[in-house]
Amino acid sequence: MDIAREDLSLFLNACAAATAQREFYSSEEEQRVSLTFLHEYICGNYRTLYARTLAAGINHHNQAEVIFQLLSTGKACPPDFRATENQLITAALRQLPSQRAWKLLQRLQRSRVNNRRTRKVIEGFIQSRNDLPFDAVKYRHKVKASMQHAHMKSTGEVSRFLFEGLKKPFETPLLEQYRTAHYSKEALYDLPYSIAEGFAAKHGVSRKDFLKRIEGKLTERERLRVQNSSEGKIQLNPEKLSLTELCSYVLGLSLQERRSRGEELMSFLTRATRATLRRAGRLPLPEHKVAAILDNSYSSSGSSMKQNRPLAVAMSADFLLGASCSQYRAFWTHPVGNPLLNHPKGQTYLAERLLDALEWGAQTVLVVSDACENDVPDAFEQTYQAYRRMGGKASIIHLSPVFDAETYQVKPLLKDLPALGIRAGEDLATTLAFARFSARETTLLELETYLQSRVDALIGQLERQP
Amino acid sequence: MSTDTLNLTGLRAAPSQVCGAFRLVPLLRETPCLDVRMTPERYQQAYSQVKLDDGTEYWAFIPHGYILDWAKGNEATVSMGGQLKRATQGKSPPEWFTIQTHHRMVKRQNANRVRLLPLHLSMEAFLGLHFGGPDIAWPEYSKYAKRYGLGFRSETAVSGRGLYRFEEALRTFEIHEGQVGVLIYTAEKLASVFVVPTPQDYRLLHQTLLDDFYGELIYRYAVWLNHQELPVKLDVKNARSLSDLRSALQEARTLWAEFSTQGMGLDLLGRSIQREVIYKPAQLRLERFMTDLDLSTTNTIGERLVRSNGEVLYLKTFQLGADQTKRAWWLSQLAKHHWHIDTTAQALNLTRDEVVRGMQRAGFGYLLNPELLKRATRKR
């Protein structure tokens, strides 16, 4: 059964990092094919465990992929597990961010996955939405596709809005706003930002005026996105933002701007760090010297699809560890004076940093790197083995933000220590909690128990909701 | 022409990075270069014509040239971005076939600046090798050869964009701090060397390696072969402390770099070369070279800029294919014996007919008297 444990922990790690987007070392196609294979393999061989991974803290992209796989291979589900699987799918679908959930439903339609269970799941999801008119306006085509796909009876105004067009007035205010926005400039400011943007262009409203008046309607991520086009005039609330996304934003600014807005950016980052720690609780790290080896080599610049993402993950981990550990020190592969001025450059240079960290006296060393070591290749492994032979006790944890398409896993730095996948610094606590299941010593049973506890928590949440 | 050896004086290697068949070894400069700069200049035309001083013309696809700036003896530095440039003109869409005319391979622009066309400078010398043809009107040669010499010479090469996975290798290559050059290995064989004066220049020029041209052998190796796994062993068996580990690591790094330049680059580095000085800016020498034409191994042409103390400031090489080497070899053999076919045959321990057939195979049949050719290639 050891193979099962290994497969599963490999899969969970991959699903924490992979997003089927282009990476520095592999193309989008390679990533997608590799990840899809992994899903099909695990779904085919360990279906019950596969369904449970929905609760295990894998990223949203993979949650959607798991739901899709489960729904499209419904026949393979053992009868006694069917009820749990349904509960899991329902709960996970409701927890997904709305854009991802709607996209998944549309994908089900396009891939012609249409069985009684799928229809029921879609219907249940649509009925559980708090503000369906809002969804109908913002995700019009997707909602329409899902309703059609689930054979839902067309009743009510939302159906009329989706299927009959905009000729007659609506009673629901938002739908009516959407109708009038076609003719009136004033009406567009009550619509969601992304929809209003199109109408603003249609009516020729200047960007400046538009942003000024729509400000109240912006979500936090939209606020971050329009920071540059509004020249920083839109207010940000860093507490509500993802720390990694904020780091990505900082890394996207020019060095000069980072220098001139240094204090402001730093306060954003520290506030976001504090908020993240408040939400996720303390990091499960012992009270001793903790060092982090953080990779800011050129490969941490990611790809055009995820610009600077690996570096942003390392940077957010740096902030979280700094705020959470009493004795902490960061060792960047290319040392940086001011954390704000970090940028991806140079070769991957990990072994020397490991020695630096150990010399400082670190008892826990966290490595955040894509593990493509090239100065010198394999030196980290050899240094680590020699250190162990010398009787060194420090524990080493390797976190990697990159899924390696070629080997179907998150590439490990050390042969006997699997790497932990991580997509965002905020997941650090969950990832570290999962760390012990990745290690070779644990059994499948322990892993199953862990998964079951997460499943119970997720389903419990579903039951608490109406 | 004078002889010298090809070396990397003033440079040291760092651990290599691999991708597909390519192994790229970064080169770092031991003492920073402050007085010479090299910047790229893009050309957008489909074809280029270079008018040379002796009335011959060189035609090629030339995507870019280099601008070489240097300080005069007493000035300390040439600063980054300190050069005045003409404002870029508004881009008009290029016509379907455009030709740009350059004057000379190396063209002086002002007192401290020349424009040079990389690799074409050496390729021109290669094509122009013994271009005048036979200097004595031996009856064995055709009228054409007597009248026009070699007349029209052409060679083909592969663009960097045509090399399988080369673009990816360059994209994923992590440029070292202070890197000024790169050794390009294909299937563990040193294929090309590229060195520029300063790290800033290198960052600008790294991607232009894709636009340069490469020998056909590199193309074949890139398609068919992969790089070897060359594990680096750290000498940590007797390590007792962290500082031991650190010194082992340092040692491995140096050994690895030495191996990649001295062990693996023997085909090219240390070979004796025939060189010709093209330009002498200040205390520097811009020269083009060709390795001794050894038919048993690959041969290289190239150009370099060196200081009087031997430090290499600029170096770019092109690996000749076997057929290209053969052509140059026949020409040089003939030239050595005043283009007399019988003497050449005697020196090479061949028969007259064998020499004629060899020349025809190399593509020089048009130089020979048709009667002679007919007799030599007649079925035996």
Side-chain angles (χ1 to χ4, degrees):
Chain A
M1 280 314 268
D2 194 43
I3 295 175
R5 191 201 63 77
E6 215 159 272
D7 276 354
L8 204 67
S9 83
L10 180 144
F11 176 70
L12 282 170
N13 276 326
C15 282
T19 51
Q21 284 169 308
R22 190 186 312 156
E23 297 284 357
F24 188 78
Y25 288 106
S26 53
S27 70
E28 187 186 350
E29 181 80 2
E30 287 166 331
Q31 286 276 331
R32 194 171 46 72
V33 169
S34 175
L35 192 62
T36 310
F37 166 76
L38 204 58
H39 275 276
E40 281 169 6
Y41 170 75
I42 301 285
C43 182
N45 287 299
Y46 317 101
R47 187 173 179 106
T48 54
L49 287 172
Y50 180 68
R52 286 189 194 128
T53 58
L54 276 176
I58 61 178
N59 66 35
H60 291 142
H61 173 82
N62 287 302
Q63 282 182 20
E65 188 71 35
V66 172
I67 296 177
F68 180 80
Q69 284 289 340
L70 289 176
L71 287 177
S72 52
T73 56
K75 264 186 197 162
C77 179
D80 55 334
F81 186 63
R82 192 162 277 262
T84 325
E85 195 176 292
N86 289 343
Q87 274 179 320
L88 271 168
I89 292 174
T90 314
L93 190 62
R94 284 186 198 177
Q95 279 205 336
L96 278 180
S98 10
Q99 77 278 12
R100 282 191 186 268
W102 287 114
K103 198 174 164 190
L104 169 67
L105 300 189
Q106 192 186 32
R107 185 177 161 203
L108 286 169
Q109 188 217 27
R110 292 204 173 146
S111 321
R112 302 178 177 221
V113 178
N114 196 344
N115 45 49
R116 204 172 60 185
R117 180 164 70 150
T118 307
R119 289 197 293 275
K120 211 72 192 155
V121 165
I122 297 179
E123 208 177 324
F125 175 73
I126 291 176
Q127 275 158 5
S128 77
R129 299 302 290 176
N130 293 330
D131 194 358
L132 195 61
F134 180 85
D135 285 341
V137 167
K138 195 164 178 179
Y139 309 104
R140 197 151 58 100
H141 294 288
K142 293 181 179 109
V143 177
K144 187 177 171 184
S146 330
M147 284 178 109
Q148 266 176 339
H149 193 55
H151 303 178
M152 280 174 76
K153 293 245 162 54
S154 59
T155 49
E157 274 206 316
V158 173
S159 293
R160 187 155 73 78
F161 171 77
L162 291 171
F163 297 105
E164 288 172 27
L166 306 166
K167 289 194 188 87
K168 288 184 223 156
F170 295 97
E171 272 167 32
T172 319
L174 190 67
L175 300 182
E176 179 58 18
Q177 292 286 358
Y178 181 81
R179 198 183 69 85
T180 39
H182 282 78
Y183 318 109
S184 136
K185 267 185 207 177
E186 290 307 306
L188 63 90
Y189 296 105
D190 289 317
L191 295 172
Y193 165 73
S194 56
I195 302 301
E197 209 175 17
F199 283 118
K202 182 184 171 182
H203 294 307
V205 181
S206 80
R207 183 81 184 156
K208 206 173 134 196
D209 295 344
F210 171 65
L211 283 179
K212 205 162 132 194
R213 288 191 58 186
I214 199 83
E215 198 180 331
K217 282 275 167 188
L218 290 171
T219 64
E220 281 309 317
R221 291 178 75 184
E222 282 163 352
R223 277 167 196 276
L224 187 61
R225 218 176 306 147
V226 298
Q227 276 300 300
N228 282 344
S229 64
S230 74
E231 289 150 5
K233 288 202 182 97
I234 300 284
Q235 289 293 311
L236 264 190
N237 185 3
E239 273 92 353
K240 286 194 180 161
L241 270 171
S242 139
L243 176 61
T244 315
E245 275 171 15
L246 202 57
C247 289
S248 279
Y249 166 67
V250 172
L251 291 171
L253 297 174
S254 70
L255 286 180
Q256 200 179 355
E257 193 167 349
R258 286 189 234 173
R259 259 184 225 113
S260 60
R261 289 174 60 191
E263 265 175 47
E264 182 197 359
L265 294 176
M266 203 63 195
S267 84
F268 279 171
L269 287 168
T270 36
R271 277 162 68 193
T273 310
R274 258 184 260 134
T276 310
L277 284 175
R278 256 203 312 280
R279 273 197 297 271
R282 263 194 83 259
L283 297 178
L285 286 170
E287 274 294 327
H288 56 213
K289 281 188 170 180
V290 176
I293 299 175
L294 304 164
D295 185 356
N296 58 352
S297 68
Y298 179 54
S299 62
S300 66
S301 60
S303 67
S304 56
M305 272 179 145
K306 357 170 53 170
Q307 267 184 15
N308 295 324
R309 183 78 193 196
L311 182 57
V313 172
M315 195 166 155
S316 58
D318 181 32
F319 275 99
L320 285 171
L321 289 166
S324 170
C325 305
S326 49
Q327 296 183 75
Y328 165 75
R329 203 193 261 188
F331 296 88
W332 290 93
T333 49
H334 292 265
V336 278
N338 180 351
L340 284 180
L341 301 183
N342 213 330
H343 63 285
K345 200 177 181 187
Q347 75 276 32
T348 313
Y349 196 52
L350 295 169
E352 183 113 6
R353 296 291 163 261
L354 174 66
L355 292 175
D356 289 343
L358 294 173
E359 245 164 37
W360 172 65
Q363 285 150 297
T364 298
V365 182
L366 276 130
V367 189
V368 184
S369 167
D370 59 5
C372 292
E373 194 186 11
N374 52 34
D375 193 7
V376 186
D378 258 2
F380 192 89
E381 163 92 37
Q382 292 179 50
T383 314
Y384 168 77
Q385 298 297 355
Y387 170 71
R388 279 278 180 271
R389 275 200 298 277
M390 275 159 43
K393 289 279 185 293
S395 71
I396 293 183
I397 302 167
H398 172 209
L399 303 160
S400 171
V402 177
F403 171 68
D404 185 28
E406 219 164 285
T407 51
Y408 302 105
Q409 60 171 333
V410 183
K411 199 170 170 185
L413 256 179
L414 306 169
K415 284 191 194 83
D416 54 357
L417 191 76
L420 300 168
I422 185 168
R423 200 186 94 80
E426 300 88 86
D427 305 338
L428 198 58
T430 333
T431 314
L432 289 175
F434 178 72
R436 68 194 174 92
F437 297 103
S438 258
R440 294 274 145 83
E441 300 91 62
T442 50
T443 61
L444 181 64
L445 192 68
E446 283 175 294
L447 185 58
E448 276 183 45
T449 329
Y450 168 75
L451 277 182
Q452 193 55 50
S453 68
R454 302 285 306 241
V455 168
D456 293 342
L458 181 67
I459 293 178
Q461 241 171 24
L462 176 72
E463 278 158 4
R464 274 197 299 283
Q465 281 168 5
Chain B
M1 285 264 181
S2 52
T3 52
D4 197 351
T5 56
L6 190 58
N7 53 43
L8 296 174
T9 313
L11 300 167
R12 85 191 134 79
S16 59
Q17 296 173 29
V18 290
C19 175
F22 291 95
R23 177 181 296 277
L24 304 180
V25 178
L27 294 173
L28 315 177
R29 199 170 284 291
E30 267 154 10
T31 49
C33 163
L34 298 172
D35 55 348
V36 185
R37 302 264 331 181
M38 190 166 248
T39 38
E41 183 181 61
R42 308 288 310 184
Y43 309 128
Q44 292 216 326
Q45 74 302 331
Y47 229 66
S48 294
Q49 172 195 32
V50 187
K51 293 199 160 164
L52 303 172
D53 281 349
D54 56 358
T56 45
E57 287 176 2
Y58 176 91
W59 288 76
F61 168 58
I62 306 182
H64 60 131
Y66 295 158
I67 303 286
L68 183 70
D69 293 81
W70 64 91
K72 275 187 177 165
N74 50 0
E75 292 163 50
T77 57
V78 179
S79 59
M80 169 77 171
Q83 301 89 355
L84 283 175
K85 271 189 184 167
R86 205 173 298 143
T88 19
Q89 288 157 357
K91 275 180 196 161
S92 52
E95 302 283 322
W96 67 275
F97 190 80
T98 49
I99 296 173
Q100 179 164 4
T101 310
H102 298 282
H103 186 217
R104 291 183 185 160
M105 286 292 169
V106 178
K107 173 86 174 167
R108 182 175 171 277
Q109 304 237 311
N110 65 31
N112 286 348
R113 169 184 298 180
V114 294
R115 186 264 299 130
L116 65 99
L117 301 174
L119 279 186
H120 296 279
L121 175 60
S122 350
M123 190 43 111
E124 183 252 306
F126 178 73
L127 290 173
L129 203 66
H130 312 296
F131 195 60
D135 35 17
I136 298 169
W138 302 110
E140 284 91 342
Y141 291 96
S142 64
K143 278 185 188 163
Y144 182 89
K146 286 175 198 165
R147 198 171 296 160
Y148 304 112
L150 296 188
F152 180 88
R153 272 273 277 138
S154 71
E155 293 291 355
T156 52
V158 186
S159 156
R161 293 187 190 274
L163 301 179
Y164 180 61
R165 292 189 79 183
F166 187 47
E167 185 167 8
E168 190 187 345
L170 285 181
R171 180 181 65 80
T172 56
F173 181 79
E174 300 185 327
I175 299 175
H176 283 235
E177 195 96 358
Q179 180 178 347
V180 295
V182 67
L183 301 175
I184 302 170
Y185 286 85
T186 332
E188 309 312 342
K189 192 166 165 58
L190 185 50
S192 179
V193 187
F194 178 54
V195 176
V196 291
T198 72
Q200 292 91 330
D201 298 341
Y202 185 79
R203 274 185 190 277
L204 275 180
L205 292 167
H206 179 72
Q207 277 300 326
T208 67
L209 282 172
L210 211 55
D211 288 327
D212 288 321
F213 59 88
Y214 297 86
E216 201 198 332
L217 195 61
I218 303 173
Y219 172 77
R220 305 240 169 247
Y221 281 180
V223 173
W224 291 109
L225 299 160
N226 222 334
H227 66 87
Q228 300 287 309
E229 291 294 332
L230 297 173
V232 187
K233 278 269 165 276
L234 257 62
D235 182 23
V236 285
K237 241 177 244 154
N238 304 318
R240 303 241 172 280
S241 66
L242 291 175
S243 61
D244 287 354
L245 287 181
R246 198 181 286 272
S247 55
L249 188 65
Q250 275 312 333
E251 201 181 321
R253 192 175 284 149
T254 339
L255 272 176
W256 180 234
E258 258 174 38
F259 175 66
S260 59
T261 49
Q262 287 161 18
M264 291 167 64
L266 281 178
D267 281 338
L268 185 54
L269 304 173
R271 283 279 291 277
S272 59
I273 50 175
Q274 291 281 326
R275 63 188 170 86
E276 178 194 358
V277 178
I278 301 293
Y279 205 86
K280 279 190 164 178
Q283 68 287 32
L284 316 165
R285 267 192 340 260
L286 178 65
E287 50 192 35
R288 55 189 176 193
F289 59 82
M290 180 163 82
T291 53
D292 47 351
L293 292 167
D294 181 352
L295 291 185
S296 62
T297 175
T298 52
N299 295 283
T300 302
I301 57 173
E303 61 227 21
R304 62 180 189 178
L305 179 74
V306 285
R307 274 187 212 285
S308 46
N309 64 3
E311 186 187 355
V312 181
L313 290 178
Y314 162 66
L315 177 65
K316 201 161 178 55
T317 67
F318 171 80
Q319 194 186 59
L320 296 172
D323 51 339
Q324 291 165 339
T325 308
K326 197 84 182 203
R327 278 194 277 277
W329 181 80
W330 273 118
L331 290 178
S332 59
Q333 289 299 328
L334 285 167
K336 206 155 83 182
H337 302 101
H338 304 287
W339 294 82
H340 190 243
I341 292 192
D342 288 326
T343 333
T344 314
Q346 219 168 17
L348 295 173
N349 205 8
L350 296 170
T351 65
R352 178 194 174 91
D353 285 355
E354 277 169 338
V355 171
V356 171
R357 282 200 294 274
M359 279 180 70
Q360 199 210 6
R361 269 203 301 279
F364 290 129
Y366 72 101
L367 294 179
L368 297 161
N369 190 335
E371 275 305 310
L372 182 79
L373 205 59
K374 211 164 140 191
R375 215 177 313 134
T377 51
R378 191 172 52 200
K379 277 203 183 99
R380 275 149 290 156

